[in-house]
């Protein structure tokens, strides 16, 4: 395998973008990430993005995003209808083929332009489940309830996770919500979908994020301390909730194993967990040690821009490695009802 | 033998708050004032209309606003005979790529005021606006384009836009 | 250095206006089962699955690959979902191939599909954003002005489009999977069919189909052991350009020319017309055959229509084009690009039955999408590159 590193990361998140459209949000993010990479735009050989037409409410919504990246002369480009983390995976594969040495990756979406909880009902079995219109919070609550009933945690554990993320988010300028509430204060609030309360559910927002990748020597030539991708893997579980043990996440376990999370120490973990209980399930599945700092950004609970959020997790880990703040970390992205699909990326500094 | 279920109908209704964006908002505000605003690329100096805030060719933001004319040349066209629920023009009708005078990129709209078979490339046309009191921030403020009566433009003047 | 990748299994469903006999999982499963059967492999032999389809809004299922994971044997495996507009079937195959070429996986299943009958794709294509006016219905309204521009620019005789339409429908009669089997197709029949988006007539346009296509790709040593000799991937290329910008040539787009140049360079081809035995290209409206002949470098600019007129693109011509009947005979949008790529592979594997080109050793598969701005293509051969 070729050595591939993250050179730079940029992001934009907001509770609601009522003035800028997707291209206008994306353009400065792309400019910033390229400038920070140390590579000229013309030296970036591949571009890959992740987005969802259902978030924008129109087909081929990603096409306009080409305006933001400067696709002239024509570029080698691809798009996944998945989170930007999977776009990063495709770009990493492309670099592995030896065809290119560098890539621009971005993910974007407006999770707050429609009612995300209702829109996500469209990801379920279209014949037998979608017609019931289950809200995303309700699906998550089923999993949270199963987790609590299994004895792995309690509503108090959920509140503890939420409180820690909200406190961490206070130092993240890209967070949409943050707070200093005590666990008891959070527990006194009403349910949204029992056992989940509002702070156990994601703060949906609009935004974009981008990363520049480069292979071995090219990365070393422009960066003193690139964030090397030491392992990356993704797996999917069956769709139907009834056939899965909801108290654990097998596809995340498998991806973590393949990505080599346990091979060395972990300083930091950024986990895509838009619901409190998901962080606990995933922490166990990924094998994140107690000593690691988990979601120092405040995570998806405090800023959830679907289609960008997973790429942001990779970016948040990479950012801390690039700055020397951390040496080795794990980033995680998820998709689908009750954590059906999971991607794990291990990053390391020299 | 159970009768097979061959299809089910699930009505879907999702609501979105649509954001045209800053550049398009400025364009639409212009339309409400009977103006067609384009934006000039600082690099290649082409005028985009409607502007989307950037020049996709040069990948730079476009900020300088320029008025373009509401008259132009038919660059290419199609006669549409296919109905669609979303379209309220009477069939058949002509839709055309129109290079507005002062613009660097053609603009798509409907041509009326002549028989479809009379439409031709190079034809000069002019916007027909809704009455002033009905002007609003929507492209529908331009009802359609109609022939202006000027002589046809030569292919060299618009050929690169076909 | 990239690993060699071979296509060892190919499967497609019967393409039809409405496949009410199968659900969406049933449709993709039908194609995947056939590809595995062709490869002599079982589900456990597959390491990863790559799915492609056009906009999710077409069936009203968001990220449908998640729901389809079970029917594609994906649980426990990596599952990727590609979407690059109309070129998606081609790009999906290219992404799947790159997983082998990068040395990451041994065998990959790739599947593309569309079940247009489950929703209203024409409506889906014409959704207009607020503050706008829906000006044209469907893709034809967008592409008809380009066709008119081509005719004007090249001086092509008016009936070239009709000839392509007849040729591809005659080819479809030899393809049992094709959606349209118009037994009495003729020049007059196309000419007299209703004008939809002038200058495009009904029979010069593609139908709307349900269908799926699947392929199994394998690493060199495994491909060599396949029950039917594999099609070897000689080269792949993808290019994109923005929808509109000042001075863009949408009739002969630079992205397509650039992708073709890159493709031929990688495959060591200097004279594509002579060195490629047949081509299966994305022609949703008949006039796109001559347009793409020029864009792909098979003809000089402005001379693509002569190839059609001279019969060069017929099954017995020097460069047969769209042997399967092409998109003009079957258009399950998301799968259409992969069907082109698969037909090229079937030709060099001698699996094309009645539409087999004798002695086809090297074939081109091509797809495009968006406003003629996304291009993906590959060259496959019966011999290793």
């Amino acid at each position: 395998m070729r050595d591939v590193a993250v050179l730079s990361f940029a992001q934009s998140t907001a509770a609601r973008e009522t003035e800028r459209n997707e291209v206008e949000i994306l353009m400065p993010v792309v400019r910033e990430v390229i400038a920070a990479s140390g590579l000229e735009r013309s030296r970036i050989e591949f571009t890959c993005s992740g987005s969802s037409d259902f978030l924008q409410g129109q087909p081929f919504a990603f096409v306009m995003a080409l305006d933001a990246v400067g696709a002239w002369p024509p570029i080698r480009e691809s798009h996944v209808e998945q989170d930007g983390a999977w776009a990063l995976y495709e770009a990493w594969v492309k670099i592995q083929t030896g065809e290119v040495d560098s890539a621009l990756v971005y993910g974007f979406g407006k999770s707050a332009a429609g009612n995300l909880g209702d829109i996500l009902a469209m990801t379920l079995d279209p014949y037998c489940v979608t017609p019931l219109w289950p809200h995303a919070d309700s699906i998550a609550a089923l999993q949270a309830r199963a987790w609590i009933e299994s004895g792995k945690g309690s509503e108090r554990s959920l509140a503890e996770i939420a409180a820690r993320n909200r406190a961490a988010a206070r130092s993240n300028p890209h967070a949409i919500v943050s707070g200093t509430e005590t666990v008891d204060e959070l527990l006194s609030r009403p349910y949204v979908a029992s056992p989940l309360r509002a702070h156990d559910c994601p703060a949906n927002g609009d935004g974009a994020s981008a990363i520049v990748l480069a292979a071995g020597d090219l990365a070393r030539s422009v960066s003193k301390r690139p964030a090397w991708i030491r392992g990356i893997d993704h797996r999917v579980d069956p769709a139907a909730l009834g056939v899965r043990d909801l108290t654990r996440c097998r596809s995340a376990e498998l991806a973590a194993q393949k990505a080599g999370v346990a091979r060395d120490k972990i300083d930091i973990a950024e986990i895509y967990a838009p619901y409190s209980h998901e962080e606990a399930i995933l922490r166990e599945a990924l094998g994140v040690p107690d000593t690691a700092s988990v979601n120092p950004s405040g995570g998806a609970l405090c800023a959830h821009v679907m289609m960008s959020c997973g790429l942001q997790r990779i970016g948040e880990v990479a950012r801390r490695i690039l700055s020397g703040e951390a040496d080795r970390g794990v980033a995680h992205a998820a998709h689908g009802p009750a954590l059906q699909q999971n991607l794990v990326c291990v990053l390391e500094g020299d | 033998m159970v009768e097979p279920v061959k299809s089910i109908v699930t009505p879907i209704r999702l609501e979105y708050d649509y954001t045209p964006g800053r550049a398009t908002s400025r364009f639409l505000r212009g339309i409400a004032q009977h103006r067609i605003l384009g934006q000039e690329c600082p690099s290649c100096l082409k005028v985009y209309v409607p502007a989307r805030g950037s020049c996709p060719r040069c990948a730079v933001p476009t900020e300088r606003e320029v008025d373009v004319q509401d008259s132009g040349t038919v660059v290419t066209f199609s006669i549409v005979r296919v109905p669609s629920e979303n379209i309220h023009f009477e069939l058949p009708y002509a839709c055309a790529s129109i290079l507005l005078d002062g613009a660097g990129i053609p603009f798509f709209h409907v041509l009326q005021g002549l028989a479809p078979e009379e439409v031709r490339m190079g034809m000069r046309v002019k916007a027909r606006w809704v009455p002033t009191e009905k002007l609003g921030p929507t492209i529908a403020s331009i009802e359609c384009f109609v022939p202006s009566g000027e002589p046809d433009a030569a292919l060299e003047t618009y050929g690169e836009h076909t | 250095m990239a690993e060699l990748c071979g296509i060892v299994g190919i499967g497609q469903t019967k393409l039809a206006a409405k496949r009410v006999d199968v659900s969406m999982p049933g449709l993709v499963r039908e194609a995947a089962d056939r590809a595995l059967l062709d490869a002599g492999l079982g589900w456990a032999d597959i390491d990863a699955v790559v799915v492609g389809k056009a906009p999710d809004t077409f069936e009203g299922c968001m990220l449908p690959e998640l729901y389809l994971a079970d029917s594609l044997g994906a649980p426990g495996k990596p599952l990727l979902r590609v979407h690059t507009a109309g070129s998606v079937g081609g790009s999906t195959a290219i992404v799947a191939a790159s997983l082998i070429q990068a040395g990451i996986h041994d065998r990959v299943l790739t599947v593309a599909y569309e079940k247009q009958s489950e929703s209203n794709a024409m409506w889906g294509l014409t959704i207009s954003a607020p503050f706008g006016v829906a000006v044209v219905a469907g893709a034809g309204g967008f592409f008809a002005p380009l066709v008119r521009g081509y005719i004007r620019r090249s001086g092509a005789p008016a009936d070239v489009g009709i000839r392509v339409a007849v040729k591809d429908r005659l080819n479809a009669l030899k393809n049992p999977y094709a959606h349209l089997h118009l037994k009495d197709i003729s020049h007059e029949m196309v000419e007299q069919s209703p004008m939809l988006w002038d200058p495009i007539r009904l029979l010069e346009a593609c139908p709307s189909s349900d269908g799926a296509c699947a392929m199994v790709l394998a690493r060199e040593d495994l491909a060599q052991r396949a029950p039917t000799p594999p099609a070897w991937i000689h080269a792949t290329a993808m290019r994109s350009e923005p929808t509109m910008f000042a001075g863009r040539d949408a009739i002969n787009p630079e992205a397509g020319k650039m992708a073709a140049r890159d493709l031929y360079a990688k495959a060591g081809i200097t004279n594509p017309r002579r060195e490629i035995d047949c081509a299966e290209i994305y022609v949703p409206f008949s006039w796109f055959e001559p347009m793409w002949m020029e864009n792909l470098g098979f003809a000089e600019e402005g001379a693509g229509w002569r190839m059609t007129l001279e019969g060069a693109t017929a099954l017995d011509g020097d460069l047969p084009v769209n042997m399967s009947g092409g998109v003009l005979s079957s258009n399950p949008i998301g799968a259409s690009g992969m069907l082109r790529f698969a037909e090229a592979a079937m030709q060099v594997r001698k699996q094309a039955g009645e539409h087999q080109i004798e002695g086809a050793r090297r074939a081109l598969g091509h797809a495009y999408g968006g406003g003629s701005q996304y291009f993906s293509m590959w060259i496959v051969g019966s011999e290793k590159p």
Side-chain angles (χ1 to χ4, degrees), chain A residues 176-258:
Chain A
I176 292 168
V177 297
S178 62
T180 53
E181 305 90 338
T182 64
V183 169
D184 288 319
E185 275 167 349
L186 292 181
L187 281 172
S188 70
R189 293 182 181 171
Y191 291 120
V192 168
S194 141
L196 301 175
R197 299 175 165 85
H199 49 261
D200 295 317
C201 301
N204 295 323
D206 301 339
S209 59
I211 274 177
V212 172
L213 295 178
D217 289 343
L218 180 61
R220 285 182 202 97
S221 74
V222 291
S223 170
K224 282 201 197 89
R225 186 184 157 88
W228 299 105
I229 295 174
R230 295 298 189 210
I232 183 165
D233 196 89
H234 62 101
R235 302 281 151 166
V236 70
D237 278 316
L241 303 182
V243 304
R244 286 191 253 155
D245 174 356
L246 293 179
T247 66
R248 56 190 282 198
C249 185
R250 286 181 187 275
S251 57
E253 289 168 20
L254 199 52
Q257 190 193 324
K258 298 275 179 188

Side-chain angles (χ1 to χ4, degrees), chain B residues 30-87:
Chain B
I31 289 285
Q33 295 164 19
H34 207 287
R35 291 170 71 191
I36 303 180
L37 287 175
Q39 286 184 351
E40 186 186 74
C41 170
S43 169
C44 67
L45 303 180
K46 298 280 189 183
V47 173
Y48 282 86
V49 61
R52 295 210 299 263
S54 71
C55 172
R57 182 181 187 131
C58 307
V60 292
T62 51
E63 272 148 22
R64 201 174 88 83
E65 278 179 358
V66 205
D67 275 288
V68 302
Q69 302 302 308
D70 67 353
S71 56
T73 303
V74 173
V75 160
T76 182
F77 64 96
S78 172
I79 308 297
V80 180
R81 296 169 203 271
V82 184
S84 170
E85 294 166 46
N86 301 328
I87 289 176

Side-chain angles (χ1 to χ4, degrees), chain C residues 20 29 45 53 83 85 98 112 131 147 152 162-163 171 179 193 221 223-224 317 375:
Chain C
V20 289
R29 183 79 177 199
D45 298 314
K53 78 170 295 297
H83 178 14
S98 68
F131 317 113
V147 167
R152 169 86 185 246
I162 298 174
R163 286 168 183 258
N171 291 355
H179 169 182
S193 67
D221 55 329
Q224 257 160 337
F375 292 85

